[in-house]
Amino acid sequence: VGTVENVTEIRGSRNELFRVTAAFPNDTAGGELSQFLNVVFGNTSLKRGVSVANVTLSEELQENREMFPGPQFGIQGLRDILRVPEAPLLC
């Protein structure tokens, strides 16, 4: 379960807008990237007017090479695998 750490009203907007900072324990994602993405984007994608603007990883998660293995092939390697030599790569 996440905790709300900060709520700030964004003044000057036509509607009531707020920036909310939420924190989640590292083990919330169970060491799986797909679960991490579900925690970050899953529930917010169901709420009208709510969006994720920024994600900051703890040092522990930044160093977790099982969950975030990093680039393995490089840009050219991905282009070779996907057979897309010049066009933008989208996912």
Side-chain angles (χ1 to χ4, degrees):
V1 172
T3 58
V4 174
E5 293 194 334
N6 188 23
V7 178
T8 306
E9 184 176 6
I10 300 173
R11 299 183 187 272
S13 62
R14 289 184 275 164
N15 300 315
E16 287 187 315
L17 293 177
F18 298 88
R19 175 170 286 121
V20 178
T21 302
F24 295 89
N26 286 336
D27 62 351
T28 300
E32 296 182 23
L33 179 57
S34 58
Q35 183 60 23
F36 171 79
L37 294 173
N38 186 49
V39 169
V40 173
F41 297 104
N43 291 333
T44 58
S45 67
L46 301 174
K47 304 290 184 184
R48 176 177 248 167
V50 176
S51 62
V52 176
N54 188 23
V55 175
T56 304
L57 299 177
S58 68
E59 284 188 38
E60 181 181 336
L61 288 181
Q62 289 178 39
E63 295 172 2
N64 185 334
R65 294 297 167 237
E66 290 181 19
M67 190 166 167
F68 300 104
Q72 297 177 13
F73 306 107
I75 293 172
Q76 190 57 51
L78 286 175
R79 290 188 174 284
D80 292 344
I81 291 168
L82 298 171
R83 298 182 191 141
V84 180
E86 296 181 18
L89 298 176
L90 303 173
C91 59

